[in-house]
Amino acid sequence: MPRPLIISTDPGVDDAVALVLALRSPEVDVRAVVATFGNVGLDATLPNAGRLLALAGRPDVPLGVGAARPLVHRRERRAGHVHGSDGLGGRAAALPEPVAPVAGAGVALMARVLEEATEPVTIASIGPLTDTAILLAARPDLAGRIERVVVMGGAIGGGNVTGAAEFNVHADPEAAHRVLAQDPGEGSVPVALVPLETTLGCAAGPEWVAVLGDADPVGAELAAMIAPYMRFYRERYGRDAVALHDATALLECVAPGSLTPTPTALTVDTGFGPARGATVPAEPGTRPVDVLSAPDVPAVLDAALARLTSRP
């Protein structure tokens, strides 16, 4: 039986690839998608998520309205220079009309999925962690219904938005702290972290993108979104390849064990110095998270491509 899955996302080109990967994977049943601010504002990420559901032929998946801003401190940084001003590499207008969101807050939708589930639910948090943090804080009674939270975020050895911090965690450090630095015991949930080092290592080259683009019309649209994203990576990192940040995390959700865990107690720097948003070692007594690595990168890329090019 497919495992139930909730996706919190801020589309975003790599989020688009991740969403289609999950929607085409028979191992999971996507019960909800919740769009949050992040790569671009909520006014773009919400219709982007709806367009991607329509593109994938899944208007049946409920779409929730997530957070428009961080928990505490307003944040102005966006990633339009990476993902395009529309968040989807300039392709948003070419996609189908978006699926309409359901009424109410995205956190309420997440809670409803958990309440109605008859087996534990995985939460894939591949944007800022605001909605996931609110859910854990507001509904600790639902912790036992969460199999684990798989987070794409954090950096162990240096960030991509500052020298210390990765984008998703830096977007809302207080929320990331709430999710990652949990006290053990009742009300805590297992967390797996797919950090920047892992996702930068899982980089897809032109041949991978060409196979995706030739697969079908959905793959062709994803490849078109990836093209300007790859140009950014070529200029930024000097590599003719693009990191599959969120798709790497989603692969672990649909095929647990694709990545290798190292239990590590982590917290997030929520100060206002240069280390704000950094993932750093936690005090003793903090519940460890599984920091995930990819010892076999070709296998990860092959597994992701196989699911993206499958026909539902």
Side-chain angles (χ1 to χ4, degrees):
M1 177 178 293
R3 292 181 299 277
L5 177 65
I6 296 170
I7 302 174
S8 174
T9 181
D10 60 332
V13 174
D14 55 325
D15 303 76
V17 178
L19 276 172
V20 173
L21 189 155
L23 293 166
R24 289 191 160 188
S25 294
E27 300 95 332
V28 294
D29 175 13
V30 180
R31 302 280 178 90
V33 171
V34 175
T36 182
F37 77 97
N39 288 312
V40 287
L42 183 64
D43 60 336
T45 61
L46 181 62
N48 283 354
R51 291 185 180 99
L52 292 164
L53 289 173
L55 176 69
R58 293 299 306 275
D60 57 299
V61 176
L63 174 61
V65 182
R69 53 160 290 178
L71 283 177
V72 181
H73 301 287
R74 287 194 176 275
R75 169 186 171 278
E76 300 301 328
R77 191 186 297 269
R78 294 286 184 264
H81 63 294
V82 181
H83 298 269
S85 59
D86 66 353
L88 296 179
R91 297 296 301 174
L95 299 182
E97 284 297 308
V99 171
V102 300
V107 170
L109 173 61
M110 296 168 78
R112 187 160 65 248
V113 170
L114 294 172
E115 290 167 344
E116 295 174 354
T118 57
E119 56 186 308
V121 179
T122 298
I123 298 175
S125 198
I126 57 174
L129 281 83
T130 312
D131 291 300
T132 302
I134 293 171
L135 175 71
L136 296 182
R139 296 297 306 270
D141 57 306
L142 296 176
R145 295 175 178 265
I146 300 173
E147 183 172 14
R148 61 175 177 166
V149 178
V150 178
V151 175
M152 189 280 118
I156 308 304
N160 61 349
V161 66
T162 71
E166 178 276 333
F167 182 89
N168 285 342
V169 171
H170 187 265
D172 194 341
E174 285 76 18
H177 172 78
R178 174 64 182 82
V179 175
L180 297 180
Q182 300 179 59
D183 294 330
E186 187 175 357
S188 68
V189 301
V191 175
L193 183 74
V194 185
L196 186 65
E197 291 78 11
T198 299
T199 60
L200 284 176
C202 296
E207 298 84 0
W208 191 98
V209 177
V211 173
L212 174 63
D214 289 341
D216 66 0
V218 175
E221 281 293 348
L222 292 178
M225 293 176 205
I226 290 171
Y229 191 56
M230 185 172 282
R231 285 195 294 272
F232 168 83
Y233 271 84
R234 192 180 299 119
E235 294 167 3
R236 171 76 178 268
Y237 298 103
R239 300 172 62 192
D240 198 20
V242 62
L244 300 178
H245 298 293
D246 296 332
T248 304
L250 258 297
L251 179 64
E252 173 64 23
C253 294
V254 304
S258 296
L259 305 176
T260 299
T262 300
T264 308
L266 293 174
T267 188
V268 177
D269 189 317
T270 56
F272 293 98
R276 178 170 172 79
T279 43
V280 295
E283 295 291 330
T286 303
R287 177 171 182 161
V289 305
D290 284 334
V291 178
L292 301 178
S293 60
D296 190 349
V297 170
V300 170
L301 295 175
D302 288 347
L305 187 59
R307 287 166 173 79
L308 285 162
T309 56
S310 67
R311 301 290 183 100

